[in-house]
Amino acid sequence: MIDPRILREDPDRVRASQERRGASSDVVDRALSADSARRAAIADFEAKRAEQKQMGKKVAQAKGEEKQQLLAEVKDLAAAVKQAEAAQGVAEEEWKKALKAIPNLADDAPAGGEDDFVLIEKVGKPRDFEAEGFEPRDHVELGKLLGAIDLERGAKVSGSRFYFLTGVGAELEFALINLAMEQAREAGFTQVIAPALVRPEAMEGTGFLDQVDDGVYKIEDDDLYLVGTSEVPMAAYHSDEILDPDTLPRRYAAFSSCFRKEAGSAGKDTKGIIRVHQFEKVEMFVYTTVEESYAEHQRLLEWEKAFLDKLELAYQVIDVAAGDLGPSALRKFDCEAWIPTQGKYRELTSASNCTTFQARRLDIRARTENGTTPVATLNGTLTAITRAIVAVLETHQQADGSVRVPKALQKWLGREVLEPIQK
């Protein structure tokens, strides 16, 4: 959640952020009203409690009929105190609910929706297949030629948007994971294998609980959720903890399977493995101070670019518009790789600065000279396997259906070229 002091002291800043997101500012007014009601409820309860204490002293000193009369008044007052305490509890919950309805402050993100991103840079040049004298195959056809992707049996076994990676397809996944983990280790990240199932508190703390109907799978009987990214378990990893500031930044590179309903993507990317229900990913996650989070955000982006450079891909970097941000992100940079058969750039990685939004919900703080303060959290995709496979196969294909292996992957795949197994 946002810092409540900002809401109280500068509500127009919060309203401006909502406007940048293309969202209603009514949440601001509701939160301010809930805060006023909460403060009034606290004052009422404390006044009645103080009166109750004073009455208790009088009873102790009274005698006879006066004491009996005071005892009757004490009984009525006790009931009023209990009622005021209950009202305070309700007001507190309404305040928390109203505050949590406000997304992070997108002060620096471009205003607008999905199409209003700002292009930061383009890296590399898309291949000119026409000049090379052949028409590129898409990753589905290449996957069949290489014996790497089996969509038909994926659909037979599990339904639409599922797949098998076989042969060099499976090898390519492991090679991408190994390359990502090698880079993370060399950059000082702690490697993690994260759980793919989490409790509701972790989902709520990261701001994903509101997406349950659209994108998240829930295991009803066990009250657990399948994660769509290891950002969720990694954000909750230090929940309810006070961190030593000397240990910051804490950088983790977490591998997990990811699950997404893709409920809002009917008709989109139904062919192939760009938009699927299950995939593996290596996610960078960082705990640091708010002051350092902005520089750390840039570092995450540079690590993502370094990985795409190792895959020898053409890509662009965009500053995502406020209306396309999730509720927890203050700002997000996407790296989008050129997909030859689609003739456009597609998202491969994202890097988000969530400042204290998640840490406040999950009660993650650092000890300072002036007490404790919420830390900042950041996340960045090092590699999302299926989309990386799509980009690598389509970018590095050759006229005969073989695929040249980027140099950085060759030691993990043990070959320089992936050869077709069927014509």
Side-chain angles (χ1 to χ4, degrees), residues 73-98:
E73 292 179 15
V74 165
K75 185 177 180 182
D76 291 340
L77 187 55
V81 168
K82 188 175 181 180
Q83 186 177 6
E85 185 177 22
Q88 178 187 332
V90 171
E92 290 278 6
E93 287 302 314
E94 288 299 316
W95 157 243
K96 290 178 183 177
K97 183 179 178 181

mmCIF file with all atom_site columns, all heavy atoms in Angstrom, residues 73-98:
data_model
loop_
_atom_site.group_PDB
_atom_site.id
_atom_site.type_symbol
_atom_site.label_atom_id
_atom_site.label_alt_id
_atom_site.label_comp_id
_atom_site.label_asym_id
_atom_site.label_entity_id
_atom_site.label_seq_id
_atom_site.pdbx_PDB_ins_code
_atom_site.Cartn_x
_atom_site.Cartn_y
_atom_site.Cartn_z
_atom_site.occupancy
_atom_site.B_iso_or_equiv
_atom_site.pdbx_formal_charge
_atom_site.auth_seq_id
_atom_site.auth_comp_id
_atom_site.auth_asym_id
_atom_site.auth_atom_id
_atom_site.pdbx_PDB_model_num
ATOM 1   N N   . GLU A 1 73 ? -23.945 2.723  36.639 1.00 0.00 ? 73 GLU A N   1
ATOM 2   C CA  . GLU A 1 73 ? -23.407 3.563  35.573 1.00 0.00 ? 73 GLU A CA  1
ATOM 3   C C   . GLU A 1 73 ? -22.182 2.912  34.921 1.00 0.00 ? 73 GLU A C   1
ATOM 4   O O   . GLU A 1 73 ? -21.992 3.003  33.709 1.00 0.00 ? 73 GLU A O   1
ATOM 5   C CB  . GLU A 1 73 ? -23.035 4.934  36.134 1.00 0.00 ? 73 GLU A CB  1
ATOM 6   C CG  . GLU A 1 73 ? -24.229 5.764  36.576 1.00 0.00 ? 73 GLU A CG  1
ATOM 7   C CD  . GLU A 1 73 ? -23.806 7.106  37.145 1.00 0.00 ? 73 GLU A CD  1
ATOM 8   O OE1 . GLU A 1 73 ? -22.636 7.493  36.922 1.00 0.00 ? 73 GLU A OE1 1
ATOM 9   O OE2 . GLU A 1 73 ? -24.635 7.761  37.810 1.00 0.00 ? 73 GLU A OE2 1
ATOM 10  N N   . VAL A 1 74 ? -21.372 2.257  35.753 1.00 0.00 ? 74 VAL A N   1
ATOM 11  C CA  . VAL A 1 74 ? -20.182 1.556  35.236 1.00 0.00 ? 74 VAL A CA  1
ATOM 12  C C   . VAL A 1 74 ? -20.580 0.456  34.267 1.00 0.00 ? 74 VAL A C   1
ATOM 13  O O   . VAL A 1 74 ? -19.944 0.252  33.225 1.00 0.00 ? 74 VAL A O   1
ATOM 14  C CB  . VAL A 1 74 ? -19.347 0.986  36.399 1.00 0.00 ? 74 VAL A CB  1
ATOM 15  C CG1 . VAL A 1 74 ? -18.332 -0.044 35.886 1.00 0.00 ? 74 VAL A CG1 1
ATOM 16  C CG2 . VAL A 1 74 ? -18.634 2.100  37.149 1.00 0.00 ? 74 VAL A CG2 1
ATOM 17  N N   . LYS A 1 75 ? -21.669 -0.243 34.604 1.00 0.00 ? 75 LYS A N   1
ATOM 18  C CA  . LYS A 1 75 ? -22.148 -1.321 33.746 1.00 0.00 ? 75 LYS A CA  1
ATOM 19  C C   . LYS A 1 75 ? -22.558 -0.780 32.378 1.00 0.00 ? 75 LYS A C   1
ATOM 20  O O   . LYS A 1 75 ? -22.214 -1.345 31.332 1.00 0.00 ? 75 LYS A O   1
ATOM 21  C CB  . LYS A 1 75 ? -23.319 -2.031 34.412 1.00 0.00 ? 75 LYS A CB  1
ATOM 22  C CG  . LYS A 1 75 ? -23.816 -3.246 33.644 1.00 0.00 ? 75 LYS A CG  1
ATOM 23  C CD  . LYS A 1 75 ? -24.931 -3.940 34.404 1.00 0.00 ? 75 LYS A CD  1
ATOM 24  C CE  . LYS A 1 75 ? -25.430 -5.155 33.628 1.00 0.00 ? 75 LYS A CE  1
ATOM 25  N NZ  . LYS A 1 75 ? -26.558 -5.829 34.352 1.00 0.00 ? 75 LYS A NZ  1
ATOM 26  N N   . ASP A 1 76 ? -23.298 0.342  32.383 1.00 0.00 ? 76 ASP A N   1
ATOM 27  C CA  . ASP A 1 76 ? -23.718 0.957  31.119 1.00 0.00 ? 76 ASP A CA  1
ATOM 28  C C   . ASP A 1 76 ? -22.505 1.463  30.338 1.00 0.00 ? 76 ASP A C   1
ATOM 29  O O   . ASP A 1 76 ? -22.441 1.333  29.107 1.00 0.00 ? 76 ASP A O   1
ATOM 30  C CB  . ASP A 1 76 ? -24.675 2.110  31.391 1.00 0.00 ? 76 ASP A CB  1
ATOM 31  C CG  . ASP A 1 76 ? -26.026 1.633  31.939 1.00 0.00 ? 76 ASP A CG  1
ATOM 32  O OD1 . ASP A 1 76 ? -26.348 0.444  31.744 1.00 0.00 ? 76 ASP A OD1 1
ATOM 33  O OD2 . ASP A 1 76 ? -26.738 2.447  32.560 1.00 0.00 ? 76 ASP A OD2 1
ATOM 34  N N   . LEU A 1 77 ? -21.553 2.033  31.083 1.00 0.00 ? 77 LEU A N   1
ATOM 35  C CA  . LEU A 1 77 ? -20.365 2.580  30.429 1.00 0.00 ? 77 LEU A CA  1
ATOM 36  C C   . LEU A 1 77 ? -19.505 1.468  29.817 1.00 0.00 ? 77 LEU A C   1
ATOM 37  O O   . LEU A 1 77 ? -18.936 1.630  28.727 1.00 0.00 ? 77 LEU A O   1
ATOM 38  C CB  . LEU A 1 77 ? -19.545 3.394  31.428 1.00 0.00 ? 77 LEU A CB  1
ATOM 39  C CG  . LEU A 1 77 ? -18.353 4.180  30.872 1.00 0.00 ? 77 LEU A CG  1
ATOM 40  C CD1 . LEU A 1 77 ? -18.798 5.101  29.746 1.00 0.00 ? 77 LEU A CD1 1
ATOM 41  C CD2 . LEU A 1 77 ? -17.686 4.976  31.990 1.00 0.00 ? 77 LEU A CD2 1
ATOM 42  N N   . ALA A 1 78 ? -19.429 0.333  30.511 1.00 0.00 ? 78 ALA A N   1
ATOM 43  C CA  . ALA A 1 78 ? -18.662 -0.807 29.992 1.00 0.00 ? 78 ALA A CA  1
ATOM 44  C C   . ALA A 1 78 ? -19.230 -1.272 28.657 1.00 0.00 ? 78 ALA A C   1
ATOM 45  O O   . ALA A 1 78 ? -18.495 -1.617 27.726 1.00 0.00 ? 78 ALA A O   1
ATOM 46  C CB  . ALA A 1 78 ? -18.664 -1.943 31.006 1.00 0.00 ? 78 ALA A CB  1
ATOM 47  N N   . ALA A 1 79 ? -20.563 -1.281 28.578 1.00 0.00 ? 79 ALA A N   1
ATOM 48  C CA  . ALA A 1 79 ? -21.211 -1.671 27.324 1.00 0.00 ? 79 ALA A CA  1
ATOM 49  C C   . ALA A 1 79 ? -20.893 -0.672 26.207 1.00 0.00 ? 79 ALA A C   1
ATOM 50  O O   . ALA A 1 79 ? -20.648 -1.041 25.061 1.00 0.00 ? 79 ALA A O   1
ATOM 51  C CB  . ALA A 1 79 ? -22.725 -1.778 27.526 1.00 0.00 ? 79 ALA A CB  1
ATOM 52  N N   . ALA A 1 80 ? -20.874 0.618  26.586 1.00 0.00 ? 80 ALA A N   1
ATOM 53  C CA  . ALA A 1 80 ? -20.565 1.665  25.608 1.00 0.00 ? 80 ALA A CA  1
ATOM 54  C C   . ALA A 1 80 ? -19.113 1.558  25.140 1.00 0.00 ? 80 ALA A C   1
ATOM 55  O O   . ALA A 1 80 ? -18.807 1.770  23.956 1.00 0.00 ? 80 ALA A O   1
ATOM 56  C CB  . ALA A 1 80 ? -20.825 3.036  26.205 1.00 0.00 ? 80 ALA A CB  1
ATOM 57  N N   . VAL A 1 81 ? -18.206 1.235  26.077 1.00 0.00 ? 81 VAL A N   1
ATOM 58  C CA  . VAL A 1 81 ? -16.800 1.060  25.738 1.00 0.00 ? 81 VAL A CA  1
ATOM 59  C C   . VAL A 1 81 ? -16.630 -0.111 24.777 1.00 0.00 ? 81 VAL A C   1
ATOM 60  O O   . VAL A 1 81 ? -15.898 -0.029 23.774 1.00 0.00 ? 81 VAL A O   1
ATOM 61  C CB  . VAL A 1 81 ? -15.942 0.842  27.000 1.00 0.00 ? 81 VAL A CB  1
ATOM 62  C CG1 . VAL A 1 81 ? -14.532 0.371  26.627 1.00 0.00 ? 81 VAL A CG1 1
ATOM 63  C CG2 . VAL A 1 81 ? -15.871 2.120  27.813 1.00 0.00 ? 81 VAL A CG2 1
ATOM 64  N N   . LYS A 1 82 ? -17.313 -1.215 25.057 1.00 0.00 ? 82 LYS A N   1
ATOM 65  C CA  . LYS A 1 82 ? -17.233 -2.393 24.195 1.00 0.00 ? 82 LYS A CA  1
ATOM 66  C C   . LYS A 1 82 ? -17.748 -2.082 22.800 1.00 0.00 ? 82 LYS A C   1
ATOM 67  O O   . LYS A 1 82 ? -17.172 -2.499 21.792 1.00 0.00 ? 82 LYS A O   1
ATOM 68  C CB  . LYS A 1 82 ? -18.038 -3.535 24.825 1.00 0.00 ? 82 LYS A CB  1
ATOM 69  C CG  . LYS A 1 82 ? -17.883 -4.866 24.113 1.00 0.00 ? 82 LYS A CG  1
ATOM 70  C CD  . LYS A 1 82 ? -18.598 -5.973 24.860 1.00 0.00 ? 82 LYS A CD  1
ATOM 71  C CE  . LYS A 1 82 ? -18.405 -7.305 24.149 1.00 0.00 ? 82 LYS A CE  1
ATOM 72  N NZ  . LYS A 1 82 ? -19.107 -8.411 24.864 1.00 0.00 ? 82 LYS A NZ  1
ATOM 73  N N   . GLN A 1 83 ? -18.846 -1.328 22.745 1.00 0.00 ? 83 GLN A N   1
ATOM 74  C CA  . GLN A 1 83 ? -19.421 -0.944 21.454 1.00 0.00 ? 83 GLN A CA  1
ATOM 75  C C   . GLN A 1 83 ? -18.475 -0.008 20.697 1.00 0.00 ? 83 GLN A C   1
ATOM 76  O O   . GLN A 1 83 ? -18.295 -0.142 19.485 1.00 0.00 ? 83 GLN A O   1
ATOM 77  C CB  . GLN A 1 83 ? -20.770 -0.252 21.677 1.00 0.00 ? 83 GLN A CB  1
ATOM 78  C CG  . GLN A 1 83 ? -21.517 0.056  20.392 1.00 0.00 ? 83 GLN A CG  1
ATOM 79  C CD  . GLN A 1 83 ? -22.884 0.670  20.671 1.00 0.00 ? 83 GLN A CD  1
ATOM 80  O OE1 . GLN A 1 83 ? -23.237 0.971  21.810 1.00 0.00 ? 83 GLN A OE1 1
ATOM 81  N NE2 . GLN A 1 83 ? -23.666 0.835  19.630 1.00 0.00 ? 83 GLN A NE2 1
ATOM 82  N N   . ALA A 1 84 ? -17.843 0.921  21.402 1.00 0.00 ? 84 ALA A N   1
ATOM 83  C CA  . ALA A 1 84 ? -16.898 1.847  20.775 1.00 0.00 ? 84 ALA A CA  1
ATOM 84  C C   . ALA A 1 84 ? -15.662 1.116  20.262 1.00 0.00 ? 84 ALA A C   1
ATOM 85  O O   . ALA A 1 84 ? -15.120 1.452  19.199 1.00 0.00 ? 84 ALA A O   1
ATOM 86  C CB  . ALA A 1 84 ? -16.495 2.935  21.758 1.00 0.00 ? 84 ALA A CB  1
ATOM 87  N N   . GLU A 1 85 ? -15.230 0.104  21.017 1.00 0.00 ? 85 GLU A N   1
ATOM 88  C CA  . GLU A 1 85 ? -14.072 -0.686 20.596 1.00 0.00 ? 85 GLU A CA  1
ATOM 89  C C   . GLU A 1 85 ? -14.386 -1.458 19.319 1.00 0.00 ? 85 GLU A C   1
ATOM 90  O O   . GLU A 1 85 ? -13.558 -1.538 18.407 1.00 0.00 ? 85 GLU A O   1
ATOM 91  C CB  . GLU A 1 85 ? -13.660 -1.650 21.708 1.00 0.00 ? 85 GLU A CB  1
ATOM 92  C CG  . GLU A 1 85 ? -12.404 -2.428 21.403 1.00 0.00 ? 85 GLU A CG  1
ATOM 93  C CD  . GLU A 1 85 ? -11.985 -3.321 22.549 1.00 0.00 ? 85 GLU A CD  1
ATOM 94  O OE1 . GLU A 1 85 ? -12.844 -3.657 23.390 1.00 0.00 ? 85 GLU A OE1 1
ATOM 95  O OE2 . GLU A 1 85 ? -10.795 -3.690 22.605 1.00 0.00 ? 85 GLU A OE2 1
ATOM 96  N N   . ALA A 1 86 ? -15.584 -2.021 19.258 1.00 0.00 ? 86 ALA A N   1
ATOM 97  C CA  . ALA A 1 86 ? -16.001 -2.748 18.060 1.00 0.00 ? 86 ALA A CA  1
ATOM 98  C C   . ALA A 1 86 ? -16.098 -1.804 16.864 1.00 0.00 ? 86 ALA A C   1
ATOM 99  O O   . ALA A 1 86 ? -15.674 -2.142 15.746 1.00 0.00 ? 86 ALA A O   1
ATOM 100 C CB  . ALA A 1 86 ? -17.345 -3.429 18.300 1.00 0.00 ? 86 ALA A CB  1
ATOM 101 N N   . ALA A 1 87 ? -16.628 -0.600 17.096 1.00 0.00 ? 87 ALA A N   1
ATOM 102 C CA  . ALA A 1 87 ? -16.739 0.394  16.026 1.00 0.00 ? 87 ALA A CA  1
ATOM 103 C C   . ALA A 1 87 ? -15.362 0.818  15.530 1.00 0.00 ? 87 ALA A C   1
ATOM 104 O O   . ALA A 1 87 ? -15.154 1.027  14.328 1.00 0.00 ? 87 ALA A O   1
ATOM 105 C CB  . ALA A 1 87 ? -17.521 1.606  16.522 1.00 0.00 ? 87 ALA A CB  1
ATOM 106 N N   . GLN A 1 88 ? -14.416 0.915  16.465 1.00 0.00 ? 88 GLN A N   1
ATOM 107 C CA  . GLN A 1 88 ? -13.049 1.256  16.073 1.00 0.00 ? 88 GLN A CA  1
ATOM 108 C C   . GLN A 1 88 ? -12.459 0.156  15.196 1.00 0.00 ? 88 GLN A C   1
ATOM 109 O O   . GLN A 1 88 ? -11.798 0.439  14.190 1.00 0.00 ? 88 GLN A O   1
ATOM 110 C CB  . GLN A 1 88 ? -12.162 1.450  17.300 1.00 0.00 ? 88 GLN A CB  1
ATOM 111 C CG  . GLN A 1 88 ? -10.714 1.772  16.945 1.00 0.00 ? 88 GLN A CG  1
ATOM 112 C CD  . GLN A 1 88 ? -9.798  1.798  18.157 1.00 0.00 ? 88 GLN A CD  1
ATOM 113 O OE1 . GLN A 1 88 ? -10.243 2.082  19.269 1.00 0.00 ? 88 GLN A OE1 1
ATOM 114 N NE2 . GLN A 1 88 ? -8.539  1.489  17.954 1.00 0.00 ? 88 GLN A NE2 1
ATOM 115 N N   . GLY A 1 89 ? -12.698 -1.095 15.558 1.00 0.00 ? 89 GLY A N   1
ATOM 116 C CA  . GLY A 1 89 ? -12.202 -2.221 14.764 1.00 0.00 ? 89 GLY A CA  1
ATOM 117 C C   . GLY A 1 89 ? -12.749 -2.198 13.339 1.00 0.00 ? 89 GLY A C   1
ATOM 118 O O   . GLY A 1 89 ? -12.011 -2.414 12.373 1.00 0.00 ? 89 GLY A O   1
ATOM 119 N N   . VAL A 1 90 ? -14.046 -1.926 13.218 1.00 0.00 ? 90 VAL A N   1
ATOM 120 C CA  . VAL A 1 90 ? -14.674 -1.844 11.895 1.00 0.00 ? 90 VAL A CA  1
ATOM 121 C C   . VAL A 1 90 ? -14.075 -0.689 11.094 1.00 0.00 ? 90 VAL A C   1
ATOM 122 O O   . VAL A 1 90 ? -13.769 -0.827 9.900  1.00 0.00 ? 90 VAL A O   1
ATOM 123 C CB  . VAL A 1 90 ? -16.203 -1.666 12.028 1.00 0.00 ? 90 VAL A CB  1
ATOM 124 C CG1 . VAL A 1 90 ? -16.828 -1.365 10.671 1.00 0.00 ? 90 VAL A CG1 1
ATOM 125 C CG2 . VAL A 1 90 ? -16.838 -2.911 12.641 1.00 0.00 ? 90 VAL A CG2 1
ATOM 126 N N   . ALA A 1 91 ? -13.897 0.448  11.757 1.00 0.00 ? 91 ALA A N   1
ATOM 127 C CA  . ALA A 1 91 ? -13.335 1.623  11.082 1.00 0.00 ? 91 ALA A CA  1
ATOM 128 C C   . ALA A 1 91 ? -11.897 1.367  10.624 1.00 0.00 ? 91 ALA A C   1
ATOM 129 O O   . ALA A 1 91 ? -11.489 1.804  9.541  1.00 0.00 ? 91 ALA A O   1
ATOM 130 C CB  . ALA A 1 91 ? -13.378 2.830  12.006 1.00 0.00 ? 91 ALA A CB  1
ATOM 131 N N   . GLU A 1 92 ? -11.125 0.644  11.440 1.00 0.00 ? 92 GLU A N   1
ATOM 132 C CA  . GLU A 1 92 ? -9.747  0.307  11.081 1.00 0.00 ? 92 GLU A CA  1
ATOM 133 C C   . GLU A 1 92 ? -9.727  -0.571 9.827  1.00 0.00 ? 92 GLU A C   1
ATOM 134 O O   . GLU A 1 92 ? -8.904  -0.363 8.916  1.00 0.00 ? 92 GLU A O   1
ATOM 135 C CB  . GLU A 1 92 ? -9.054  -0.430 12.232 1.00 0.00 ? 92 GLU A CB  1
ATOM 136 C CG  . GLU A 1 92 ? -8.757  0.422  13.444 1.00 0.00 ? 92 GLU A CG  1
ATOM 137 C CD  . GLU A 1 92 ? -7.476  1.238  13.293 1.00 0.00 ? 92 GLU A CD  1
ATOM 138 O OE1 . GLU A 1 92 ? -6.882  1.217  12.205 1.00 0.00 ? 92 GLU A OE1 1
ATOM 139 O OE2 . GLU A 1 92 ? -7.097  1.894  14.273 1.00 0.00 ? 92 GLU A OE2 1
ATOM 140 N N   . GLU A 1 93 ? -10.611 -1.563 9.782  1.00 0.00 ? 93 GLU A N   1
ATOM 141 C CA  . GLU A 1 93 ? -10.674 -2.459 8.627  1.00 0.00 ? 93 GLU A CA  1
ATOM 142 C C   . GLU A 1 93 ? -11.096 -1.710 7.367  1.00 0.00 ? 93 GLU A C   1
ATOM 143 O O   . GLU A 1 93 ? -10.558 -1.956 6.279  1.00 0.00 ? 93 GLU A O   1
ATOM 144 C CB  . GLU A 1 93 ? -11.631 -3.624 8.900  1.00 0.00 ? 93 GLU A CB  1
ATOM 145 C CG  . GLU A 1 93 ? -11.086 -4.647 9.876  1.00 0.00 ? 93 GLU A CG  1
ATOM 146 C CD  . GLU A 1 93 ? -9.768  -5.242 9.410  1.00 0.00 ? 93 GLU A CD  1
ATOM 147 O OE1 . GLU A 1 93 ? -9.668  -5.615 8.233  1.00 0.00 ? 93 GLU A OE1 1
ATOM 148 O OE2 . GLU A 1 93 ? -8.831  -5.308 10.228 1.00 0.00 ? 93 GLU A OE2 1
ATOM 149 N N   . GLU A 1 94 ? -12.057 -0.813 7.502  1.00 0.00 ? 94 GLU A N   1
ATOM 150 C CA  . GLU A 1 94 ? -12.501 -0.023 6.353  1.00 0.00 ? 94 GLU A CA  1
ATOM 151 C C   . GLU A 1 94 ? -11.373 0.875  5.846  1.00 0.00 ? 94 GLU A C   1
ATOM 152 O O   . GLU A 1 94 ? -11.208 1.055  4.639  1.00 0.00 ? 94 GLU A O   1
ATOM 153 C CB  . GLU A 1 94 ? -13.721 0.822  6.731  1.00 0.00 ? 94 GLU A CB  1
ATOM 154 C CG  . GLU A 1 94 ? -14.999 0.024  6.924  1.00 0.00 ? 94 GLU A CG  1
ATOM 155 C CD  . GLU A 1 94 ? -15.414 -0.708 5.656  1.00 0.00 ? 94 GLU A CD  1
ATOM 156 O OE1 . GLU A 1 94 ? -15.363 -0.091 4.572  1.00 0.00 ? 94 GLU A OE1 1
ATOM 157 O OE2 . GLU A 1 94 ? -15.787 -1.897 5.749  1.00 0.00 ? 94 GLU A OE2 1
ATOM 158 N N   . TRP A 1 95 ? -10.589 1.413  6.771  1.00 0.00 ? 95 TRP A N   1
ATOM 159 C CA  . TRP A 1 95 ? -9.451  2.242  6.402  1.00 0.00 ? 95 TRP A CA  1
ATOM 160 C C   . TRP A 1 95 ? -8.400  1.440  5.650  1.00 0.00 ? 95 TRP A C   1
ATOM 161 O O   . TRP A 1 95 ? -7.903  1.856  4.593  1.00 0.00 ? 95 TRP A O   1
ATOM 162 C CB  . TRP A 1 95 ? -8.865  2.876  7.660  1.00 0.00 ? 95 TRP A CB  1
ATOM 163 C CG  . TRP A 1 95 ? -7.432  3.312  7.598  1.00 0.00 ? 95 TRP A CG  1
ATOM 164 C CD1 . TRP A 1 95 ? -6.400  2.840  8.347  1.00 0.00 ? 95 TRP A CD1 1
ATOM 165 C CD2 . TRP A 1 95 ? -6.869  4.339  6.766  1.00 0.00 ? 95 TRP A CD2 1
ATOM 166 N NE1 . TRP A 1 95 ? -5.237  3.488  8.034  1.00 0.00 ? 95 TRP A NE1 1
ATOM 167 C CE2 . TRP A 1 95 ? -5.495  4.412  7.063  1.00 0.00 ? 95 TRP A CE2 1
ATOM 168 C CE3 . TRP A 1 95 ? -7.390  5.185  5.793  1.00 0.00 ? 95 TRP A CE3 1
ATOM 169 C CZ2 . TRP A 1 95 ? -4.631  5.295  6.436  1.00 0.00 ? 95 TRP A CZ2 1
ATOM 170 C CZ3 . TRP A 1 95 ? -6.526  6.074  5.156  1.00 0.00 ? 95 TRP A CZ3 1
ATOM 171 C CH2 . TRP A 1 95 ? -5.176  6.123  5.478  1.00 0.00 ? 95 TRP A CH2 1
ATOM 172 N N   . LYS A 1 96 ? -8.068  0.261  6.172  1.00 0.00 ? 96 LYS A N   1
ATOM 173 C CA  . LYS A 1 96 ? -7.081  -0.590 5.504  1.00 0.00 ? 96 LYS A CA  1
ATOM 174 C C   . LYS A 1 96 ? -7.559  -0.996 4.119  1.00 0.00 ? 96 LYS A C   1
ATOM 175 O O   . LYS A 1 96 ? -6.792  -0.988 3.151  1.00 0.00 ? 96 LYS A O   1
ATOM 176 C CB  . LYS A 1 96 ? -6.802  -1.841 6.353  1.00 0.00 ? 96 LYS A CB  1
ATOM 177 C CG  . LYS A 1 96 ? -6.035  -1.572 7.628  1.00 0.00 ? 96 LYS A CG  1
ATOM 178 C CD  . LYS A 1 96 ? -5.847  -2.849 8.422  1.00 0.00 ? 96 LYS A CD  1
ATOM 179 C CE  . LYS A 1 96 ? -5.140  -2.581 9.755  1.00 0.00 ? 96 LYS A CE  1
ATOM 180 N NZ  . LYS A 1 96 ? -5.014  -3.830 10.559 1.00 0.00 ? 96 LYS A NZ  1
ATOM 181 N N   . LYS A 1 97 ? -8.834  -1.343 4.029  1.00 0.00 ? 97 LYS A N   1
ATOM 182 C CA  . LYS A 1 97 ? -9.412  -1.744 2.748  1.00 0.00 ? 97 LYS A CA  1
ATOM 183 C C   . LYS A 1 97 ? -9.356  -0.596 1.740  1.00 0.00 ? 97 LYS A C   1
ATOM 184 O O   . LYS A 1 97 ? -9.001  -0.789 0.570  1.00 0.00 ? 97 LYS A O   1
ATOM 185 C CB  . LYS A 1 97 ? -10.860 -2.196 2.955  1.00 0.00 ? 97 LYS A CB  1
ATOM 186 C CG  . LYS A 1 97 ? -11.555 -2.706 1.713  1.00 0.00 ? 97 LYS A CG  1
ATOM 187 C CD  . LYS A 1 97 ? -12.967 -3.158 2.044  1.00 0.00 ? 97 LYS A CD  1
ATOM 188 C CE  . LYS A 1 97 ? -13.704 -3.631 0.790  1.00 0.00 ? 97 LYS A CE  1
ATOM 189 N NZ  . LYS A 1 97 ? -15.101 -4.048 1.113  1.00 0.00 ? 97 LYS A NZ  1
ATOM 190 N N   . ALA A 1 98 ? -9.688  0.602  2.188  1.00 0.00 ? 98 ALA A N   1
ATOM 191 C CA  . ALA A 1 98 ? -9.679  1.772  1.303  1.00 0.00 ? 98 ALA A CA  1
ATOM 192 C C   . ALA A 1 98 ? -8.261  2.120  0.871  1.00 0.00 ? 98 ALA A C   1
ATOM 193 O O   . ALA A 1 98 ? -8.013  2.480  -0.290 1.00 0.00 ? 98 ALA A O   1
ATOM 194 C CB  . ALA A 1 98 ? -10.320 2.963  2.010  1.00 0.00 ? 98 ALA A CB  1
#
